[in-house]
Amino acid sequence: MVSITGQNEEKKAVLVLGCPQVPVQTAVALYLMHGLRRLGVRPIVAGNPAARMLVDVSDPLHHYAGEMVDLDTCIADMAAGRRKYDYYIVFAHNDAGVSYAATVQSISGKKVIMIIYGENFKAIADSVNFPAEKIVAKAVHNPMPMKKKIDEVLPWLVSNL
Amino acid sequence: MACIESLKYEIILRNATFSECREYIRKNCREHVTVDPGFALFEKPVIGVPPILLGLDGDSITFPYTKPCYGTFLLRTENPEEAARIRSLLKK
C-alpha cells in the first residue's frame, strides 16, 4: 500500500452511490475503492439497498468496500454530526444525484468530489453550482473513460482535499 | 424521509427541479420558509439543492422530496404538529 496522505491515522471516504440503473456505477465504485485503498484511504459505501447489494455481491469478501451504510441513515447521521469523513464522493447521473451532492456539501461544509457519468453527463455537470471537484465522463456501459479520469486525478484529489 | 410512505400526501410536481419547486411554493403557498439541506422534516433530513423552500398553508406543508431513482417530487401533506414545529422554529 502506498500512502500519500502522510499521516498515521487512516483517512475515510464516503462514496454516496446513486440509483444503480446506469451499468457502470458499481464497476466504477469498486475501482475507485481500490484506488482509495492504495492511497491509504478507507472507503465507506452509502447507497440504497439495490446499490449496496450490487457492491456486496461484486465484492463478497469486502476486499475493496468497507462499511456499508443505508443512504438515508448516512445523511441523517451526517446532518446530526454523528458521522464525519475526510472525503465525500457522490455519484451522479441524474438530478437526484446532484441533489444528494448539494446536500452532502451543505451538511459537511467541504468540497465534494462528484463522479458524473451517464448519457446526460454534460447537462448534469453544468447544473452543479456548489463547491465540487467534478470527474466527468460519458460512461454508460463502458467504464474505461471514467477509469482513465480517475487514474488521472485521484492521487491529486486525495492529496489536496 | 424514509417514513414518507406512512404519510398521506398529494403529489404536486413530478421530476421537478428545485427552482420549479421554489417557484411553485412562492406562488401558491401562503407562508414559505427557507431551510438548509439536512433540515429535519418528519424527523428525516431534507435532500436538495439550496435554497430549499418549504410552504405552509394552515396545517398543510408543501415540500420537495428526492428519491435516488425517481428524481424530485413536490409533495403536500397535512400535519398540524409538524407545521406548528416549523413555525415555532421560525419565531426563534
Short mmCIF file of all heavy atoms in Angstrom, two decimals, chain B residues 43-86:
data_model
loop_
_atom_site.label_atom_id
_atom_site.label_comp_id
_atom_site.label_asym_id
_atom_site.label_seq_id
_atom_site.Cartn_x
_atom_site.Cartn_y
_atom_site.Cartn_z
N GLU B 43 -38.73 14.19 10.97
CA GLU B 43 -37.59 13.50 11.62
C GLU B 43 -36.54 12.99 10.64
O GLU B 43 -35.66 12.22 11.02
CB GLU B 43 -38.08 12.35 12.51
CG GLU B 43 -38.99 12.82 13.64
CD GLU B 43 -39.51 11.70 14.49
OE1 GLU B 43 -39.30 10.53 14.13
OE2 GLU B 43 -40.12 12.01 15.52
N LYS B 44 -36.63 13.37 9.37
CA LYS B 44 -35.65 12.93 8.38
C LYS B 44 -35.06 14.15 7.68
O LYS B 44 -35.76 15.14 7.48
CB LYS B 44 -36.31 12.02 7.32
CG LYS B 44 -36.90 10.75 7.90
CD LYS B 44 -35.81 9.79 8.31
CE LYS B 44 -36.41 8.57 8.98
NZ LYS B 44 -35.37 7.67 9.49
N PRO B 45 -33.79 14.07 7.28
CA PRO B 45 -33.18 15.24 6.64
C PRO B 45 -33.74 15.49 5.24
O PRO B 45 -33.92 14.56 4.47
CB PRO B 45 -31.70 14.87 6.58
CG PRO B 45 -31.65 13.40 6.66
CD PRO B 45 -32.85 12.95 7.42
N VAL B 46 -33.96 16.76 4.95
CA VAL B 46 -34.41 17.15 3.61
C VAL B 46 -33.19 17.09 2.68
O VAL B 46 -32.12 17.57 3.00
CB VAL B 46 -34.99 18.58 3.63
CG1 VAL B 46 -35.31 19.05 2.22
CG2 VAL B 46 -36.23 18.64 4.50
N ILE B 47 -33.40 16.47 1.51
CA ILE B 47 -32.36 16.39 0.49
C ILE B 47 -32.63 17.48 -0.53
O ILE B 47 -33.78 17.68 -0.94
CB ILE B 47 -32.43 15.01 -0.24
CG1 ILE B 47 -32.30 13.85 0.74
CG2 ILE B 47 -31.40 14.91 -1.36
CD1 ILE B 47 -31.02 13.80 1.50
N GLY B 48 -31.60 18.18 -0.98
CA GLY B 48 -31.87 19.14 -2.04
C GLY B 48 -30.81 20.17 -2.28
O GLY B 48 -29.83 20.28 -1.54
N VAL B 49 -31.04 20.92 -3.35
CA VAL B 49 -30.14 21.99 -3.75
C VAL B 49 -30.61 23.28 -3.09
O VAL B 49 -31.75 23.69 -3.29
CB VAL B 49 -30.15 22.15 -5.29
CG1 VAL B 49 -29.24 23.28 -5.72
CG2 VAL B 49 -29.76 20.84 -5.97
N PRO B 50 -29.77 23.91 -2.26
CA PRO B 50 -30.21 25.13 -1.59
C PRO B 50 -30.38 26.30 -2.56
O PRO B 50 -29.70 26.32 -3.60
CB PRO B 50 -29.08 25.40 -0.58
CG PRO B 50 -27.89 24.66 -1.08
CD PRO B 50 -28.40 23.52 -1.93
N PRO B 51 -31.22 27.29 -2.23
CA PRO B 51 -32.07 27.35 -1.05
C PRO B 51 -33.31 26.45 -1.21
O PRO B 51 -33.94 26.47 -2.26
CB PRO B 51 -32.47 28.83 -1.00
CG PRO B 51 -32.41 29.29 -2.42
CD PRO B 51 -31.34 28.49 -3.08
N ILE B 52 -33.62 25.71 -0.16
CA ILE B 52 -34.79 24.82 -0.19
C ILE B 52 -35.95 25.55 0.49
O ILE B 52 -35.83 26.00 1.63
CB ILE B 52 -34.49 23.49 0.53
CG1 ILE B 52 -33.32 22.78 -0.15
CG2 ILE B 52 -35.74 22.60 0.55
CD1 ILE B 52 -32.88 21.53 0.56
N LEU B 53 -37.05 25.63 -0.23
CA LEU B 53 -38.23 26.31 0.31
C LEU B 53 -39.26 25.28 0.77
O LEU B 53 -39.51 24.30 0.05
CB LEU B 53 -38.84 27.20 -0.78
CG LEU B 53 -39.02 28.68 -0.45
CD1 LEU B 53 -37.70 29.30 -0.05
CD2 LEU B 53 -39.62 29.42 -1.63
N LEU B 54 -39.83 25.52 1.94
CA LEU B 54 -40.98 24.74 2.41
C LEU B 54 -42.17 25.69 2.42
O LEU B 54 -42.02 26.87 2.76
CB LEU B 54 -40.77 24.21 3.82
CG LEU B 54 -39.48 23.44 4.12
CD1 LEU B 54 -39.45 23.02 5.59
CD2 LEU B 54 -39.35 22.23 3.22
N GLY B 55 -43.34 25.20 2.04
CA GLY B 55 -44.53 26.04 2.04
C GLY B 55 -45.46 25.64 3.17
O GLY B 55 -45.58 24.46 3.51
N LEU B 56 -46.12 26.62 3.77
CA LEU B 56 -47.09 26.35 4.84
C LEU B 56 -48.42 27.03 4.50
O LEU B 56 -48.44 28.18 4.07
CB LEU B 56 -46.58 26.90 6.18
CG LEU B 56 -45.31 26.26 6.75
CD1 LEU B 56 -44.76 27.10 7.90
CD2 LEU B 56 -45.60 24.84 7.23
N ASP B 57 -49.50 26.28 4.65
CA ASP B 57 -50.86 26.81 4.50
C ASP B 57 -51.69 26.21 5.61
O ASP B 57 -52.11 25.05 5.49
CB ASP B 57 -51.48 26.38 3.16
CG ASP B 57 -50.98 27.19 1.99
OD1 ASP B 57 -51.34 28.37 1.91
OD2 ASP B 57 -50.21 26.64 1.19
N GLY B 58 -51.89 26.91 6.69
CA GLY B 58 -52.60 26.31 7.81
C GLY B 58 -51.83 25.09 8.30
O GLY B 58 -50.65 25.19 8.63
N ASP B 59 -52.48 23.92 8.26
CA ASP B 59 -51.81 22.69 8.72
C ASP B 59 -51.08 21.96 7.60
O ASP B 59 -50.49 20.91 7.83
CB ASP B 59 -52.86 21.73 9.32
CG ASP B 59 -53.45 22.27 10.62
OD1 ASP B 59 -52.81 23.15 11.23
OD2 ASP B 59 -54.55 21.83 10.99
N SER B 60 -51.15 22.49 6.38
CA SER B 60 -50.51 21.82 5.24
C SER B 60 -49.05 22.25 5.08
O SER B 60 -48.74 23.43 5.24
CB SER B 60 -51.23 22.15 3.94
OG SER B 60 -52.48 21.55 3.94
N ILE B 61 -48.22 21.27 4.73
CA ILE B 61 -46.80 21.55 4.45
C ILE B 61 -46.54 21.09 3.01
O ILE B 61 -46.89 19.97 2.64
CB ILE B 61 -45.88 20.76 5.41
CG1 ILE B 61 -46.26 21.04 6.86
CG2 ILE B 61 -44.42 21.11 5.16
CD1 ILE B 61 -45.62 20.08 7.84
N THR B 62 -45.94 21.96 2.22
CA THR B 62 -45.55 21.62 0.85
C THR B 62 -44.02 21.57 0.83
O THR B 62 -43.37 22.52 1.29
CB THR B 62 -46.08 22.68 -0.14
OG1 THR B 62 -47.49 22.78 0.04
CG2 THR B 62 -45.77 22.28 -1.57
N PHE B 63 -43.48 20.47 0.34
CA PHE B 63 -42.02 20.27 0.46
C PHE B 63 -41.49 19.41 -0.68
O PHE B 63 -42.18 18.53 -1.19
CB PHE B 63 -41.69 19.63 1.81
CG PHE B 63 -42.33 18.28 2.02
CD1 PHE B 63 -41.61 17.11 1.80
CD2 PHE B 63 -43.65 18.18 2.42
CE1 PHE B 63 -42.19 15.86 1.99
CE2 PHE B 63 -44.25 16.93 2.60
CZ PHE B 63 -43.52 15.77 2.39
N PRO B 64 -40.22 19.65 -1.07
CA PRO B 64 -39.61 18.80 -2.09
C PRO B 64 -39.12 17.49 -1.47
O PRO B 64 -38.67 17.47 -0.32
CB PRO B 64 -38.42 19.64 -2.59
CG PRO B 64 -38.09 20.55 -1.47
CD PRO B 64 -39.33 20.75 -0.65
N TYR B 65 -39.20 16.44 -2.24
CA TYR B 65 -38.79 15.12 -1.75
C TYR B 65 -38.04 14.40 -2.89
O TYR B 65 -38.58 14.23 -3.98
CB TYR B 65 -40.02 14.31 -1.35
CG TYR B 65 -39.73 12.89 -0.97
CD1 TYR B 65 -38.99 12.61 0.18
CD2 TYR B 65 -40.17 11.83 -1.75
CE1 TYR B 65 -38.70 11.30 0.53
CE2 TYR B 65 -39.90 10.51 -1.40
CZ TYR B 65 -39.16 10.26 -0.26
OH TYR B 65 -38.88 8.97 0.08
N THR B 66 -36.79 14.01 -2.63
CA THR B 66 -35.95 13.41 -3.67
C THR B 66 -35.71 11.94 -3.37
O THR B 66 -35.36 11.57 -2.24
CB THR B 66 -34.59 14.15 -3.75
OG1 THR B 66 -34.85 15.51 -4.09
CG2 THR B 66 -33.69 13.55 -4.81
N LYS B 67 -35.90 11.11 -4.41
CA LYS B 67 -35.53 9.70 -4.31
C LYS B 67 -34.46 9.43 -5.36
O LYS B 67 -34.57 9.93 -6.49
CB LYS B 67 -36.75 8.80 -4.59
CG LYS B 67 -37.79 8.84 -3.50
CD LYS B 67 -38.81 7.75 -3.67
CE LYS B 67 -38.27 6.45 -3.10
NZ LYS B 67 -39.29 5.39 -3.01
N PRO B 68 -33.42 8.64 -5.04
CA PRO B 68 -32.31 8.45 -5.97
C PRO B 68 -32.75 7.97 -7.36
O PRO B 68 -32.22 8.42 -8.36
CB PRO B 68 -31.43 7.40 -5.29
CG PRO B 68 -31.76 7.48 -3.86
CD PRO B 68 -33.19 7.92 -3.77
N CYS B 69 -33.73 7.09 -7.43
CA CYS B 69 -34.10 6.51 -8.72
C CYS B 69 -35.24 7.25 -9.41
O CYS B 69 -35.51 7.01 -10.58
CB CYS B 69 -34.51 5.05 -8.56
SG CYS B 69 -33.19 4.03 -7.91
N TYR B 70 -35.94 8.10 -8.69
CA TYR B 70 -37.16 8.69 -9.24
C TYR B 70 -37.13 10.21 -9.33
O TYR B 70 -38.10 10.82 -9.76
CB TYR B 70 -38.38 8.24 -8.42
CG TYR B 70 -38.55 6.75 -8.41
CD1 TYR B 70 -38.10 5.99 -7.34
CD2 TYR B 70 -39.09 6.09 -9.51
CE1 TYR B 70 -38.22 4.61 -7.34
CE2 TYR B 70 -39.21 4.72 -9.52
CZ TYR B 70 -38.78 3.98 -8.43
OH TYR B 70 -38.89 2.61 -8.45
N GLY B 71 -36.05 10.83 -8.92
CA GLY B 71 -35.93 12.27 -9.02
C GLY B 71 -36.66 13.00 -7.90
O GLY B 71 -36.91 12.43 -6.83
N THR B 72 -37.02 14.25 -8.19
CA THR B 72 -37.59 15.10 -7.14
C THR B 72 -39.09 15.32 -7.36
O THR B 72 -39.52 15.59 -8.48
CB THR B 72 -36.84 16.45 -7.11
OG1 THR B 72 -35.47 16.19 -6.81
CG2 THR B 72 -37.41 17.40 -6.08
N PHE B 73 -39.82 15.21 -6.29
CA PHE B 73 -41.27 15.44 -6.28
C PHE B 73 -41.54 16.64 -5.37
O PHE B 73 -40.80 16.87 -4.41
CB PHE B 73 -42.03 14.24 -5.70
CG PHE B 73 -41.85 12.97 -6.46
CD1 PHE B 73 -40.72 12.18 -6.29
CD2 PHE B 73 -42.83 12.54 -7.35
CE1 PHE B 73 -40.55 11.01 -6.99
CE2 PHE B 73 -42.67 11.35 -8.06
CZ PHE B 73 -41.53 10.58 -7.88
N LEU B 74 -42.61 17.35 -5.67
CA LEU B 74 -43.11 18.33 -4.71
C LEU B 74 -44.37 17.74 -4.10
O LEU B 74 -45.31 17.40 -4.83
CB LEU B 74 -43.40 19.67 -5.39
CG LEU B 74 -43.74 20.81 -4.43
CD1 LEU B 74 -42.55 21.18 -3.55
CD2 LEU B 74 -44.23 22.05 -5.18
N LEU B 75 -44.36 17.57 -2.79
CA LEU B 75 -45.47 16.90 -2.11
C LEU B 75 -46.17 17.87 -1.15
O LEU B 75 -45.56 18.83 -0.67
CB LEU B 75 -44.94 15.71 -1.29
CG LEU B 75 -44.11 14.64 -2.02
CD1 LEU B 75 -43.68 13.55 -1.03
CD2 LEU B 75 -44.90 14.03 -3.17
N ARG B 76 -47.42 17.57 -0.88
CA ARG B 76 -48.16 18.33 0.14
C ARG B 76 -48.81 17.34 1.09
O ARG B 76 -49.39 16.33 0.65
CB ARG B 76 -49.23 19.21 -0.49
CG ARG B 76 -50.02 20.00 0.57
CD ARG B 76 -51.15 20.80 -0.04
NE ARG B 76 -50.65 21.87 -0.89
CZ ARG B 76 -51.16 22.20 -2.07
NH1 ARG B 76 -52.17 21.53 -2.57
NH2 ARG B 76 -50.67 23.19 -2.75
N THR B 77 -48.70 17.62 2.37
CA THR B 77 -49.34 16.75 3.36
C THR B 77 -49.87 17.62 4.50
O THR B 77 -49.36 18.71 4.74
CB THR B 77 -48.35 15.69 3.91
OG1 THR B 77 -49.06 14.75 4.71
CG2 THR B 77 -47.24 16.30 4.73
N GLU B 78 -50.89 17.11 5.16
CA GLU B 78 -51.42 17.84 6.33
C GLU B 78 -50.82 17.24 7.58
O GLU B 78 -50.87 16.02 7.78
CB GLU B 78 -52.95 17.71 6.38
CG GLU B 78 -53.62 18.66 5.45
CD GLU B 78 -54.99 19.11 5.94
OE1 GLU B 78 -55.37 18.79 7.09
OE2 GLU B 78 -55.67 19.78 5.17
N ASN B 79 -50.25 18.09 8.40
CA ASN B 79 -49.69 17.61 9.66
C ASN B 79 -49.60 18.78 10.63
O ASN B 79 -48.62 19.55 10.59
CB ASN B 79 -48.31 16.97 9.41
CG ASN B 79 -47.84 16.19 10.62
OD1 ASN B 79 -47.74 16.74 11.71
ND2 ASN B 79 -47.57 14.91 10.42
N PRO B 80 -50.60 18.95 11.47
CA PRO B 80 -50.65 20.13 12.35
C PRO B 80 -49.41 20.22 13.26
O PRO B 80 -48.88 21.32 13.46
CB PRO B 80 -51.90 19.90 13.20
CG PRO B 80 -52.71 18.88 12.47
CD PRO B 80 -51.77 18.09 11.63
N GLU B 81 -48.94 19.08 13.77
CA GLU B 81 -47.81 19.12 14.71
C GLU B 81 -46.54 19.61 14.01
O GLU B 81 -45.81 20.46 14.53
CB GLU B 81 -47.54 17.73 15.32
CG GLU B 81 -48.65 17.19 16.20
CD GLU B 81 -49.77 16.53 15.40
OE1 GLU B 81 -49.56 16.22 14.22
OE2 GLU B 81 -50.87 16.35 15.96
N GLU B 82 -46.29 19.06 12.81
CA GLU B 82 -45.06 19.42 12.12
C GLU B 82 -45.13 20.88 11.62
O GLU B 82 -44.14 21.61 11.68
CB GLU B 82 -44.81 18.46 10.94
CG GLU B 82 -43.43 18.54 10.34
CD GLU B 82 -42.30 18.07 11.25
OE1 GLU B 82 -42.52 17.92 12.47
OE2 GLU B 82 -41.19 17.86 10.74
N ALA B 83 -46.32 21.29 11.16
CA ALA B 83 -46.48 22.69 10.72
C ALA B 83 -46.23 23.64 11.90
O ALA B 83 -45.54 24.65 11.75
CB ALA B 83 -47.88 22.90 10.15
N ALA B 84 -46.75 23.27 13.06
CA ALA B 84 -46.55 24.12 14.25
C ALA B 84 -45.07 24.14 14.65
O ALA B 84 -44.53 25.17 15.04
CB ALA B 84 -47.40 23.60 15.40
N ARG B 85 -44.42 22.98 14.54
CA ARG B 85 -42.99 22.91 14.90
C ARG B 85 -42.17 23.81 13.98
O ARG B 85 -41.30 24.55 14.45
CB ARG B 85 -42.49 21.47 14.79
CG ARG B 85 -41.06 21.27 15.29
CD ARG B 85 -40.57 19.86 15.08
NE ARG B 85 -40.33 19.54 13.68
CZ ARG B 85 -39.17 19.78 13.05
NH1 ARG B 85 -38.17 20.33 13.71
NH2 ARG B 85 -39.03 19.47 11.79
N ILE B 86 -42.46 23.78 12.69
CA ILE B 86 -41.70 24.61 11.75
C ILE B 86 -41.94 26.09 12.06
O ILE B 86 -41.01 26.89 12.10
CB ILE B 86 -42.08 24.28 10.29
CG1 ILE B 86 -41.65 22.85 9.95
CG2 ILE B 86 -41.44 25.26 9.32
CD1 ILE B 86 -42.22 22.31 8.66
#
